[in-house]
Amino acid sequence: MRKNLKLFIFTISVMILSSIALMAQDMPIQANQLPANAQNFVKSNFANDQIVYAEQDRNSYKVELASGVEIDFDKNGNWTDVSSKMPLPTQFIPAAIMNAVQAKYPQVPVLEISKEYNSYKLKLGNNREVYVSNNGQITGDKLD
């Protein structure tokens, strides 16, 4: 009886862990399955670029464009991270953030931007990581 109970508990545990692992995996999706906010963001800011890959996990989406740009979105389709090896367009970055970065590093391209809790982290073409608060104050700057 005790041996059967241990086997039963072990089997149930394996089944639960397997189902959790399956739910956490990234699943490829079609571009038209992205939230409307995400689709609009790509169309507005990367109009001449095509989505070549999209995936969804429990709380987020990831998109790769033909140019090599990678964009992460939250579950509502709001961008959280945008990165590329080439300079990014900056029209989607809040003006206060761009003004602060351009004042300190004029003519240096943005290669990556991430939304943090109360700030943004930008990686620039001069190998600098710049942290800027939501109101446009540079709060950190380091060589990456």
Side-chain angles (χ1 to χ4, degrees):
M1 180 73 173
R2 193 171 202 154
K3 189 174 185 178
N4 288 340
L5 181 61
K6 285 182 181 181
L7 181 60
F8 176 74
I9 291 172
F10 175 75
T11 303
I12 295 296
S13 299
V14 168
M15 289 173 53
I16 290 171
L17 289 174
S18 297
S19 65
I20 289 171
L22 285 174
M23 287 182 5
Q25 286 183 335
D26 297 334
M27 295 181 1
I29 60 171
Q30 298 296 317
N32 63 1
Q33 293 176 294
L34 291 165
N37 286 346
Q39 291 181 47
N40 291 335
F41 178 83
V42 173
K43 287 177 190 170
S44 298
N45 297 290
F46 301 93
N48 298 323
D49 218 342
Q50 182 179 2
I51 296 174
V52 294
Y53 180 75
E55 69 182 27
Q56 174 185 8
D57 67 18
R58 266 179 120 191
N59 296 315
S60 65
Y61 297 87
K62 182 176 183 171
V63 167
E64 293 178 22
L65 304 179
S67 65
V69 173
E70 293 183 2
I71 310 168
D72 293 337
F73 298 97
D74 65 16
K75 64 182 176 183
N76 297 318
N78 301 309
W79 72 271
T80 57
D81 298 285
V82 182
S83 64
S84 176
K85 292 183 179 14
M86 304 298 291
L88 290 172
T90 58
Q91 68 268 17
F92 65 91
I93 301 173
I97 308 307
M98 280 309 299
N99 290 341
V101 171
Q102 288 178 337
K104 186 162 185 173
Y105 297 108
Q107 306 299 317
V108 178
V110 175
L111 302 179
E112 183 176 331
I113 182 168
S114 301
K115 286 183 186 177
E116 306 290 324
Y117 177 68
N118 278 328
S119 63
Y120 292 82
K121 177 175 85 171
L122 295 90
K123 291 187 181 181
L124 306 179
N126 61 355
N127 293 323
R128 303 294 300 184
E129 269 187 16
V130 180
Y131 299 84
V132 185
S133 67
N134 287 342
N135 63 1
Q137 299 295 315
I138 293 180
T139 58
D141 185 354
K142 68 177 187 174
L143 191 60
D144 185 32

